[in-house]
Amino acid sequence: MYAFLLSTAVIFAAELGDKSQLMAMTFAARYRARDVLLGITAATALVHLASVGIGYAIGDVFADAQGAIQVVAGIAFLAFAAWTLRGDELTDDEAAKARNSRGMALLAVGTAFFLAELGDKTMLATITLATQEGWFGTWVGSTLGMVAADALAIGAGALLGRKLPERTIKIGAALLFLAFGVVMVVSGVRAL
């Protein structure tokens, strides 16, 4: 349960202000919100399943070095905080693809999100979490966290009809990453 709750919170924070939220808003302007959420959920579940597999394998192979892994993971989370402040932007090409995609909404959204999430900070954060926590809770929690953040973007975009205060979102998400990073580094140093 701890892995589920932690992963949900961390990935939700990581997704705030991410280009995936911009993609979700763009797709929601073209397709039904339900279809966009289903496509996001399917793509996220697949990417995060691979992520927890990688993280679980790393954590298992290096079981005797958990203190060092915690320090490295904490440093990674500090880097994620900086990455979040720097921000992601949806390029004109990516926005055009989202607007002009043809065919089934689920396939278009799912494929776009799958490709966009490969190597993204949410994938890397999920790998990092899975080195320490149970794979199933991390997988379900990270998937839920991402889908919830993207659903929030779709809903807020539809309700407000204008851009969310991006600077505030970035700072809040970065502070959460910073806090998680500091806690992980301190915990890792104590374990060493």
Side-chain angles (χ1 to χ4, degrees):
M1 185 54 108
Y2 177 74
F4 169 76
L5 295 173
L6 178 64
S7 298
T8 301
V10 167
I11 300 305
F12 181 85
E15 189 64 10
L16 294 176
D18 193 69
K19 69 179 179 180
S20 300
Q21 282 191 313
L22 298 174
M23 286 177 62
M25 285 182 182
T26 303
F27 276 122
R30 179 166 175 81
Y31 301 120
R32 291 186 303 188
R34 182 199 69 188
D35 294 339
V36 174
L37 283 174
L38 288 173
I40 290 169
T41 302
T44 301
L46 289 173
V47 170
H48 288 198
L49 183 60
S51 301
V52 297
I54 292 166
Y56 184 76
I58 290 170
D60 195 39
V61 168
F62 297 101
D64 295 335
Q66 287 302 310
I69 288 173
Q70 280 185 315
V71 171
V72 170
I75 292 169
F77 273 74
L78 296 176
F80 296 153
W83 187 350
T84 300
L85 283 176
R86 181 184 61 93
D88 277 340
E89 292 187 16
L90 191 61
T91 66
D92 292 338
D93 186 45
E94 291 170 325
K97 285 180 184 174
R99 278 191 306 273
N100 299 322
S101 59
R102 303 280 183 244
M104 294 177 40
L106 291 175
L107 184 61
V109 173
T111 301
F113 268 83
F114 181 82
L115 295 174
E117 288 305 309
L118 293 177
D120 194 52
K121 70 182 172 209
T122 52
M123 180 182 184
L124 299 174
T126 302
I127 291 170
T128 303
L129 288 166
T131 64
Q132 301 287 313
E133 306 299 333
W135 74 270
F136 186 75
T138 301
W139 174 50
V140 174
S142 65
T143 300
L144 177 64
M146 184 162 168
V147 171
D150 289 337
L152 177 66
I154 292 167
L159 290 175
L160 299 176
R162 59 184 165 84
K163 194 172 186 176
L164 295 173
E166 188 174 332
R167 180 171 159 70
T168 302
I169 292 170
K170 283 182 183 180
I171 290 170
L175 288 173
L176 287 172
F177 267 122
L178 180 67
F180 283 120
V182 168
V183 167
M184 290 177 92
V185 168
V186 169
S187 178
V189 168
R190 285 184 181 159
L192 291 174

